[in-house]
Amino acid sequence: MSTASSPTLALDDQFARALPEMALPWQAEPVDEPRLLVLNEPLAAELGLDADWLRSPEGLRLLVGNHVPDGANPVAQAYAGHQFGNYSPRLGDGRALLLGELVHADGRPRDLHLKGSGRTPFARGGDGLAAVGPMLREYLVSEAMHALGIPTTRSLAVVATGRTVHRETPLPGAVLARVASSHLRVGSFQYARATGDVDLLRRLADHAIARHHPSAADAEHPHLALFEAVVAAQASLVARWMLAGFVHGVMNTDNTTISGETIDYGPCAFVEAYDPHTVFSSIDQQGRYAYGNQPLVIQWNLARLAEALLPLLADDQEQGVELATAALVAFGDRYDSAFSSGMRAKLGLPAGLADDVASPLVDDLLALLRANHVDHTSFYRRLGRAARGDAEPVREVFLDLAAIDEWIIRWRALGPDADAVDRVNPVHVPRNHLVEEALAAATGGDQEAFAQLLDAVRAPYEERPGFERFAAPAPEDFSATYRTFCGT
Ligand code: AMP
Ligand code: MG
């Protein structure tokens, strides 16, 4: 038993104080027998939280929202959002709570937030709960994204509640403790705008500037600068998703952050065979959120943010639209340049290579990968060996050998750097079949496979003896039918 005593846990309530209209004080549902499933000790340390105390009965009660430290003021946050293109004026935290803000070792605040902590007034028809599998899934994939260097919310812990959650089948319940640079979303601005209260909208924008894009405060037009900063952060984020083969799956405006962090790991998955049409989510029937659509979708979401910000951009609406449009148009260039420099890095190309050489090389490669159904992640890793002179591992995954041979000759002529290729192309991503296998076992009470997979994806660039199976693509019959579910 831990003897750790209760530390003074300073949870601030900045958001609740600055934006009370969007913060509904609320309490988590009581959990009788919380049981820790996984704790992120390095993250706890970064937040100044004592891991032994978090494992103690009082610490566990904090992690399910039942211990509210002095001065803390847990709230459900209000937001609106476009879900699959349809506007909902009132979404909000239906099963989540913002416990408050903590200061990270980097000196900047972080939200400590719970998911699965019971119904709130925003729950609509939902039960307010979350199941062990989907919460461990968020933990695993968000930690994998972090290890890949992709901006993301983090996961501090998953605690089993002992409650039964009814989905298609009865499932064990859990609460995820999530850490984010904030939970401000495009949907937060849509909500503030829809109230018609321009003062609220301005306070929200100023709060977002202070928290995420402080340099915008010094700009000639701070609110336009905020919008430009969000455009830039999201262009860079989605380029990173595309380079990693990540499909978010539910890019609703309420799941698009102002910080530029990836949020809400519901039906997300990594592509295996490279194909822009890849869709995993069972409810995304039209392929709105397909892998290759993500840059377009994020631009659409940013246009919704611009609409929400309009009253702050100019007194005259037409002038506001003009300013917002110019900033939105810049998205294309920002995205293209982030994607193209990322692809140059993946291919180990020398700096300063002319665009009219690099671009066709990249485009031709993507066409070849697609036509030959080549596994995205392992292809780039095999390139490292090709750069060192052994092209066989690359050749063996192509049907059209003449075409890949011709491409390899062009690429090698540019002098790719093999070590650079290995530094940026992961061996381990959370492959779908491995995630499903680990979560099924964990739901049944056996966490060994989850722990191993977590270990692998936390060291994404490391080839390790005994870990070969974490690097291999899924069996074909698995990939052909793989679907993910939103009903988490
Ligand atoms: P998501 O698609 O997970 O981002 O959630 C969209 C909206 O549905 C948010 O307002 C959530 O709070 C709400 N929601 C999702 N699942 C539940 C649930 N089980 N109970 C209550 N609200 C939920
Ligand atoms: Mg969400």
Side-chain angles (χ1 to χ4, degrees):
M1 237 8 243
S2 169
T3 54
S5 61
S6 169
T8 39
L9 181 62
L11 272 173
D12 202 352
D13 59 349
Q14 279 180 28
F15 175 85
R17 275 183 289 122
L19 298 148
E21 298 92 333
M22 299 177 66
L24 199 101
W26 201 253
Q27 298 264 308
E29 235 170 66
V31 174
D32 293 334
E33 287 180 41
R35 193 167 56 85
L36 186 65
L37 296 181
V38 55
L39 175 67
N40 192 337
E41 295 200 11
L43 178 61
E46 289 169 35
L47 294 167
L49 296 171
D50 181 59
D52 285 336
W53 178 74
L54 285 173
R55 292 176 191 281
S56 75
E58 192 178 47
L60 289 189
R61 295 200 322 115
L62 172 87
L63 291 171
V64 294
N66 292 165
H67 166 62
V68 178
D70 286 344
N73 177 22
V75 295
Q77 291 180 298
Y79 51 84
H82 278 87
Q83 300 181 303
F84 289 89
N86 302 309
Y87 182 65
S88 279
R90 188 180 146 101
L91 292 169
D93 288 335
R95 55 161 172 176
L97 286 180
L98 172 63
L99 290 184
E101 299 98 4
L102 288 167
V103 181
H104 185 270
D106 66 12
R108 303 188 58 85
R110 295 289 192 285
D111 280 2
L112 178 57
H113 172 103
L114 304 179
K115 190 158 162 180
S117 50
R119 297 191 79 226
T120 78
F122 297 109
R124 293 165 291 154
D127 60 7
L129 303 178
V132 164
M135 295 306 100
L136 287 178
R137 184 187 170 87
E138 171 151 347
Y139 189 105
L140 180 80
V141 184
S142 62
E143 288 308 295
M145 294 288 271
H146 177 72
L148 289 167
I150 301 175
T152 177
T153 63
R154 306 283 310 272
S155 296
L156 178 63
V158 178
V159 178
T161 60
R163 278 190 293 242
T164 299
V165 180
H166 298 278
R167 296 293 180 257
E168 264 137 52
T169 52
L171 294 169
V175 173
L176 168 76
R178 176 159 84 180
V179 172
S181 70
S182 90
H183 285 78
L184 301 180
R185 318 135 190 267
V186 169
S188 312
F189 284 83
Q190 292 181 291
Y191 181 90
R193 172 72 202 272
T195 63
D197 180 349
V198 178
D199 171 64
L200 172 64
L201 185 64
R202 185 174 293 112
R203 263 184 289 129
L204 177 61
D206 292 342
H207 180 79
I209 288 174
R211 193 131 180 204
H212 297 298
H213 306 292
S215 63
D218 303 324
E220 195 177 320
H221 191 331
H223 295 139
L224 179 61
L226 168 65
F227 181 61
E228 290 167 344
V230 180
V231 169
Q234 285 291 345
S236 152
L237 177 67
V238 174
R240 304 292 303 265
W241 290 357
M242 297 304 291
L243 293 162
F246 176 77
V247 187
H248 182 281
V250 59
M251 290 175 70
N252 296 332
T253 58
D254 54 304
N255 292 338
T256 300
T257 57
I258 298 305
S259 63
E261 285 177 346
T262 311
I263 196 170
D264 263 4
Y265 293 86
C268 65
F270 282 79
V271 296
E272 295 241 318
Y274 174 79
D275 184 348
H277 289 127
T278 305
V279 177
F280 294 109
S281 171
S282 57
I283 60 166
D284 191 1
Q285 308 241 330
Q286 315 289 318
R288 180 182 175 93
Y289 299 142
Y291 172 57
N293 269 2
Q294 297 184 120
L296 265 180
V297 169
I298 202 69
Q299 202 175 7
W300 190 89
N301 289 357
L302 291 165
R304 305 290 77 75
L305 176 61
E307 281 167 7
L309 285 170
L310 269 186
L312 303 181
L313 296 184
D315 292 333
D316 171 59
Q317 178 157 331
E318 235 166 85
Q319 200 195 340
V321 171
E322 223 169 273
L323 289 171
T325 306
L328 256 186
V329 167
F331 173 89
D333 285 343
R334 285 191 178 277
Y335 174 80
D336 289 345
S337 101
F339 182 75
S340 120
S341 65
M343 279 304 295
R344 286 163 180 251
K346 284 177 89 64
L347 301 183
L349 298 179
L353 188 67
D355 209 38
D356 60 358
V357 179
S359 282
L361 188 76
V362 167
D363 293 346
D364 293 348
L365 173 64
L366 295 178
L368 272 175
L369 292 174
R370 182 177 178 183
N372 288 266
H373 308 286
V374 176
D375 180 75
H376 178 85
T377 303
S378 59
F379 167 76
Y380 291 98
R381 195 67 196 190
R382 286 166 188 243
L383 268 188
R385 274 178 277 170
R388 290 186 181 89
D390 178 13
E392 268 325 298
V394 165
R395 297 182 80 243
E396 78 189 17
V397 293
F398 283 84
L399 289 170
D400 187 349
L401 284 178
I404 191 61
D405 284 344
E406 187 257 346
W407 186 89
I408 290 173
I409 290 167
R410 276 164 71 198
W411 170 66
R412 273 195 184 148
L414 302 170
D417 176 341
D419 292 338
V421 169
D422 285 348
R423 270 197 303 276
V424 299
N425 293 304
V427 192
H428 301 130
V429 297
R431 289 184 179 273
N432 307 319
H433 66 296
L434 301 172
V435 173
E436 293 305 326
E437 174 193 272
L439 297 184
T443 299
D446 176 0
Q447 270 186 243
E448 183 55 31
F450 176 82
Q452 270 195 19
L453 181 56
L454 184 60
D455 206 19
V457 299
R458 275 193 166 150
Y461 302 105
E462 221 179 281
E463 273 172 54
R464 285 199 274 179
F467 277 69
E468 292 77 10
R469 109 190 174 79
F470 297 107
E476 227 162 85
D477 56 338
F478 177 93
S479 301
T481 56
Y482 184 59
R483 290 286 167 276
T484 56
F485 296 91
C486 231
T488 58

